[in-house]
Amino acid sequence: MRRLFPLPAPPVPAPDLDGSGAAAPDPTDREWTLDELAEAYAYPAADDPARSGRPGWLRANMVSSLDGAAHHDGRSQPLSGAADMRIFGVLRGLADAVVVGAETVRQEGYRPGRAREAFAARRAAAGQGPAPAIAVVTAGLGLDFTLPLFTEPLVPTVVLTGAAAPADRVAEARAAGAEVLFAGEGLGVDPARVAGVLAGRGHHRLLTEGGPRLLGQLAAADALDEMCLSLAPVVALGDAARIMNGPAVAVPERFTLASVLEEAGFLFTRYRRS
């Protein structure tokens, strides 16, 4: 892996010991450690001006093919790669909670967040639990509450729904051990309230993994603070959705490029709200 932006300092040329004139390998093109990736993707500090007036920091992590597909045959894994999965794990290791739509939970077979020894000390120092909570956004609570996501989490799974959600399903979710939080007055969730409701439970470092419909709703509600987009060197074709599929906005919101990493043809970009 190598950093393409911000531009690194020029490498120091290695001595031409064998007289071949061949260029020395770039010392920055190597596999980064988890600690290095964690530093590169650290959440902004609480006093960072970018967080002014925001209840927390909501970043998204998505992968896209070269032709804009968010998945292949209904799943994102075929677009991913080894470096993408390392970054995926690091972003989870840094988050208080992972916000995800119910359909993505069903399609991707979501399981509870797991504790990883590599992040234990970092999480303890930040006052975090052993693993991120999974926060599922749903209107009708059409979820299987017998799955490990609800029966075996290290920290209780959160169900985010509206105050008018079916009472019997809310009761069933709570009986399964889920923490049900209301983030809307109607049947579904008001995306503008997601970060504030989770912050009220101590979850300030938020990560969303979509899917495209939820991510589009969050972006349209001006709730998205950061976009981590992996661009895969593949063409998927088909009719897969874009990484965001939401209501139109009057004026496109501009984000600022924060960093670009590259490995094996994948580009790992990070954009912050302007």
Side-chain angles (χ1 to χ4, degrees), residues 55-58 191-200 203-204 206 218 223 225:
W57 188 263
L58 176 61
R193 293 177 56 180
V194 166
V197 168
L198 289 173
H203 301 313
H204 297 275
L206 303 178
L218 291 167
D225 297 300

Side-chain angles (χ1 to χ4, degrees), residues 215-223 242 244 246-255:
L215 186 52
Q217 292 171 338
L218 291 167
D222 192 32
R242 298 157 50 185
M244 295 190 196
V249 294
V251 179
E253 183 176 0
R254 181 171 293 276
F255 280 62

Side-chain angles (χ1 to χ4, degrees), residues 169-265:
R169 297 298 291 167
V170 169
E172 189 174 348
R174 286 175 170 157
E179 181 179 11
V180 180
L181 302 178
F182 297 118
E185 300 304 320
L187 183 65
V189 165
D190 176 355
R193 293 177 56 180
V194 166
V197 168
L198 289 173
R201 289 296 190 272
H203 301 313
H204 297 275
R205 305 171 190 88
L206 303 178
L207 169 67
T208 181
E209 296 167 352
R213 183 169 177 270
L214 173 61
L215 186 52
Q217 292 171 338
L218 291 167
D222 192 32
L224 186 63
D225 297 300
E226 182 177 322
M227 182 74 226
C228 298
L229 175 62
S230 300
L231 185 63
V234 300
V235 173
L237 298 177
D239 57 359
R242 298 157 50 185
I243 63 166
M244 295 190 196
N245 182 15
V249 294
V251 179
E253 183 176 0
R254 181 171 293 276
F255 280 62
T256 300
L257 182 64
S259 68
V260 182
L261 306 177
E262 184 273 337
E263 182 172 311

